[in-house]
């Protein structure tokens, strides 16, 4: 079956503009995660959705970042008034079960460049 | 708070040499631990999980509760092992949350 997909694969935007990044998780996966991967910074957790529960937003770096998950499936990460330090690869992952026992499946990522 | 430490950002070995990627965690419960790998131009993917006690691509990882470590080892490194490796211990099983805390990663380079 299809894996996690993300769009766009690359996004170049001007500083101050808003961007939306999309994630389509694997069908049937109840948990969805957003991470940011920056050079030299490793993998940084941003936000986590599980079913109808309130999302864990503890990793969002500022109030310019927000995310939604509609209908328990597709998720959109929005970055408002982008800054150059937002440039990174944004990864989405989903897992079948929220328990840490289950593997996370990652998408190919969206490379965001803020000029 | 949960913490994961991968002390080496970069690690280089020659082909055929043993390799050990270090991972230490702070955790009060009984952890389940994972190693994820990202090869060049590929997606991040699961390499192995300690609970299954498996060996994948010659790699093994032993959980040492006394040292709170989960180091990844391979006796004879291959050039195709060159990749970024992330250690990931999840939260307490009693928690309702399922997020993973990834380490910052170790970039392994295996020279010919």
């Amino acid at each position: 079956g299809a894996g996690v997909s993300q769009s766009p694969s690359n996004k170049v935007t001007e500083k101050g503009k808003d961007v939306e990044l999309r994630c389509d998780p694997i069908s049937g996966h109840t948990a969805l995660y957003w991470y940011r991967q920056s050079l030299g910074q490793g993998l940084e957790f941003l936000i986590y959705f599980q079913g109808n529960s309130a999302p864990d937003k503890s990793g969002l770096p500022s109030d310019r970042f927000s995310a939604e998950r509609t209908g328990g499936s597709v998720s959109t990460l929005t970055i408002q008034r982008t800054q150059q330090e937002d440039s990174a690869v944004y990864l989405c992952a989903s897992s079948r079960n929220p328990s840490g026992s289950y593997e996370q499946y990652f998408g190919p990522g969206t490379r965001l460049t803020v000029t | 708070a949960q913490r994961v430490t991968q002390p080496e950002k970069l690690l280089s070995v020659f082909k055929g040499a043993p390799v050990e990627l270090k991972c230490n965690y702070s955790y009060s419960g009984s952890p389940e631990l994972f190693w994820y790998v990202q090869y060049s131009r590929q997606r991040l993917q699961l390499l192995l999980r300690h609970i299954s006690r498996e060996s994948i691509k010659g790699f093994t990882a032993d959980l040492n509760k006394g040292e709170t470590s989960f180091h990844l080892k391979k006796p004879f490194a291959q050039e195709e092992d060159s990749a970024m490796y992330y250690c990931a211990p999840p939260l307490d099983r009693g928690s309702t949350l399922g997020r993973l805390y990834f380490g910052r990663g170790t970039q392994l380079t295996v020279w010919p």
Side-chain angles (χ1 to χ4, degrees):
Chain A
V4 177
S5 60
Q6 292 185 246
S7 61
S9 55
N10 280 283
K11 178 71 177 178
V12 180
T13 189
E14 293 180 353
K15 176 181 174 181
K17 301 280 189 180
D18 298 351
V19 295
E20 283 190 355
L21 312 179
R22 177 187 168 103
C23 171
D24 284 88
I26 293 172
S27 178
H29 280 195
T30 60
L32 186 147
Y33 313 77
W34 282 99
Y35 297 90
R36 179 166 69 175
Q37 189 176 36
S38 305
L39 192 62
Q41 297 298 317
L43 207 58
E44 177 187 9
F45 166 81
L46 296 177
I47 189 169
Y48 157 65
F49 295 90
Q50 167 48 35
N52 296 320
S53 302
D56 176 0
K57 304 179 181 180
S58 59
L60 295 178
S62 77
D63 58 8
R64 296 186 295 104
F65 288 71
S66 62
E68 291 185 341
R69 188 178 185 192
T70 54
S73 181
V74 172
S75 177
T76 302
L77 177 69
T78 301
I79 309 173
Q80 295 178 311
R81 306 180 301 281
T82 52
Q83 304 294 313
Q84 288 186 332
E85 59 263 28
D86 299 334
S87 296
V89 176
Y90 289 82
L91 296 175
C92 175
S94 68
S95 69
R96 183 158 54 94
N97 185 288
S99 163
S101 301
Y102 287 90
E103 175 180 356
Q104 290 192 11
Y105 294 83
F106 284 81
T110 293
R111 181 174 297 278
L112 175 66
T113 304
V114 182
T115 61
Chain B
Q2 312 297 324
R3 292 194 65 181
V4 182
T5 303
Q6 291 183 252
E8 303 138 330
K9 292 180 73 172
L10 302 172
L11 182 63
S12 295
V13 299
F14 285 101
K15 176 182 174 181
V19 62
E20 180 179 70
L21 294 91
K22 293 183 168 55
C23 173
N24 290 89
Y25 64 92
S26 64
Y27 192 87
S28 59
S30 180
E32 294 179 46
L33 291 146
F34 304 81
W35 276 96
Y36 280 76
V37 62
Q38 189 170 28
Y39 301 101
S40 179
R41 300 188 190 88
Q42 294 188 27
R43 303 184 183 204
L44 191 62
Q45 60 188 286
L46 179 68
L47 177 63
L48 59 79
R49 69 193 82 190
H50 98 275
I51 196 170
S52 63
R53 299 186 180 277
E54 57 197 347
S55 173
I56 302 294
K57 299 184 179 181
F59 283 97
T60 58
D62 293 323
L63 175 62
N64 187 321
K65 292 185 179 181
E67 295 181 357
T68 59
S69 68
F70 188 51
H71 302 329
L72 184 68
K73 301 177 183 179
K74 184 169 183 176
F76 307 103
Q78 302 299 314
E79 290 178 67
E80 55 265 30
D81 297 328
S82 296
M84 178 70 91
Y85 291 81
Y86 293 95
C87 178
L91 285 178
D92 191 325
R93 295 194 68 175
S95 170
T96 57
L97 300 179
R99 59 172 289 189
L100 296 182
Y101 289 80
F102 284 89
R104 289 191 173 272
T106 298
Q107 178 66 49
L108 172 66
T109 302
V110 181
W111 300 105

